[in-house]
Amino acid sequence: MGSNLRLGVLAAAAIVAVLVVLGSWYTIDQGERGVILRYGAIAGTAEPGLGFKLPMIDAVVRVSVQSKAVVYDKMEAYSRDQQPADIKLSVNYRIPVDQVDTVYEKYGSEEGLLSRLVERKVFEETKTVFGRFNAVTAIQERGRLNQEIAEAIQRSVAGPVVIDSVQIENIDFSDAYEQSIEQRMLAEVEVQRLRQNAEREKVQAEITVTQANAQADAQRAQAQAQADSVRLQAQAEAEAIQLRGDAEALAIKARGDALRDNPGLVALTQAERWNGQLPQTMLPNGSIPMLNLDTRAVAQD
């Protein structure tokens, strides 16, 4: 009995020793930080790697500092025109490495931080911002809606957490309202198409008018050019006729002046052109041309 008791005591001591040895060290991953608790009170934080603690006195709580995403599905909200919608929203967040002890102290864990701080602000700010948009505007300007929701959440979440980004995954309105929106958008597309057709016809009409005006201007210019050509030709012919008339008048005047200044010029000209033959038929008592002879005198001779 005594030897068995000693063996049991030794075995128990060995087990305790193993537990003490195993419980005196810990490891922290790179994406985590540790909160060291001593008798339940925060005694410090632990960096990534191998660490040692007092067995059965110290405890280590691991807190992730990696960027994570949490998705909030089917958040009910109303638009400014009282249209109900289910919003699916994803929030990317992370816990700063120097705030892990604050997270444990105030919220107990990462899950407590999300449920008591982040989730409440996400719901509240999303509903508030969405309520400033009409249903149609929320769809057409989804980028602006997303930005305003993200900014509102980032401003309101004040605590040991950083909101990196917020993304609207989906906005689900009622089937009836979505059908009405689709019909309205189709109507707007049709109106836009008709406007484009009208604008195209207007432009085509303007092009036709411009072409007609250009053609008319060209015809007027051609007619004017022809008229100017005819006018210039008539003017040239008139000037030519006038010049010929002036030349003939000058010639006649010159001949008259010559006859006046030279009375015998006519007789001389006749004599130069006479072929020497007397006229075969002469009037009684007439004179012989160019000789100024009276036929009676010739007869007496």
Side-chain angles (χ1 to χ4, degrees):
M1 291 291 294
S3 61
N4 291 334
L5 179 59
R6 283 196 301 270
L7 289 175
V9 172
L10 290 174
I15 292 173
V16 170
V18 172
L19 292 175
V20 169
V21 172
L22 293 177
S24 64
W25 59 274
Y26 60 89
T27 57
I28 302 295
D29 292 338
Q30 186 62 42
E32 299 176 334
R33 294 297 184 272
V35 179
I36 301 175
L37 303 177
R38 183 164 294 167
Y39 296 115
I42 297 176
T45 58
E47 296 295 319
L50 179 64
F52 296 91
K53 62 183 179 63
L54 297 176
M56 296 179 293
I57 296 176
D58 293 343
V60 177
V61 177
R62 293 170 177 79
V63 178
S64 175
V65 292
Q66 292 180 329
S67 179
K68 295 182 179 180
V70 57
V71 177
Y72 299 99
D73 198 5
K74 293 186 178 301
M75 288 192 299
E76 295 183 356
Y78 284 86
S79 63
R80 189 171 63 181
D81 51 352
Q82 299 301 313
Q83 293 298 329
D86 290 334
I87 302 175
K88 183 179 180 181
L89 196 73
S90 63
V91 178
N92 294 319
Y93 72 96
R94 57 186 171 84
I95 297 174
V97 295
D98 58 346
Q99 296 288 317
V100 291
D101 53 346
T102 305
V103 171
Y104 182 81
E105 179 182 359
K106 290 186 176 181
Y107 302 100
S109 64
E110 180 180 346
E111 290 74 16
L113 173 69
L114 292 176
S115 62
R116 292 165 54 189
L117 175 62
V118 177
E119 181 176 320
R120 183 170 59 86
K121 292 298 183 180
V122 167
F123 281 33
E124 178 182 340
E125 297 300 330
T126 300
K127 292 180 179 181
T128 300
V129 175
F130 188 75
R132 295 199 294 262
F133 283 74
N134 289 329
V136 175
T137 308
I139 295 176
Q140 294 177 345
E141 301 182 16
R142 183 166 171 173
R144 183 167 68 90
L145 172 63
N146 196 118
Q147 180 180 356
E148 293 188 11
I149 290 178
E151 291 175 351
I153 292 174
Q154 289 170 341
R155 285 194 306 265
S156 63
V157 176
V161 63
V162 176
I163 304 299
D164 290 325
S165 64
V166 177
Q167 183 65 41
I168 296 177
E169 302 291 342
N170 186 41
I171 302 176
D172 188 15
F173 290 97
S174 64
D175 294 339
Y177 186 72
E178 288 183 352
Q179 291 177 0
S180 67
I181 291 178
E182 182 179 359
Q183 293 175 357
R184 184 184 306 175
M185 294 180 67
L186 291 175
E188 290 179 357
V189 170
E190 180 65 18
V191 170
Q192 186 65 26
R193 186 185 67 81
L194 293 176
R195 287 178 179 174
Q196 291 177 352
N197 290 339
E199 289 294 331
R200 183 170 58 251
E201 293 176 357
K202 179 181 178 181
V203 171
Q204 187 62 41
E206 292 176 352
I207 293 174
T208 302
V209 171
T210 301
Q211 291 176 346
N213 290 335
Q215 184 176 1
D217 291 340
Q219 292 176 353
R220 284 195 295 268
Q222 183 178 2
Q224 184 65 38
Q226 292 176 352
D228 292 341
S229 176
V230 172
R231 180 176 58 80
L232 292 175
Q233 183 177 0
Q235 183 177 357
E237 292 178 356
E239 291 177 354
I241 293 173
Q242 182 177 0
L243 290 175
R244 288 196 299 269
D246 292 342
E248 291 178 358
L250 290 174
I252 293 172
K253 182 176 181 303
R255 287 195 296 270
D257 292 341
L259 291 174
R260 185 181 67 248
D261 297 336
N262 301 283
L265 181 61
V266 175
L268 176 62
T269 302
Q270 291 176 347
E272 290 176 348
R273 296 182 177 180
W274 187 41
N275 56 8
Q277 295 182 0
L278 292 175
Q280 296 180 358
T281 302
M282 299 181 61
L283 296 175
N285 300 324
S287 60
I288 298 173
M290 298 176 290
L291 297 180
N292 289 329
L293 296 178
D294 191 344
T295 58
R296 290 173 296 181
V298 173
Q300 291 177 359
D301 291 340

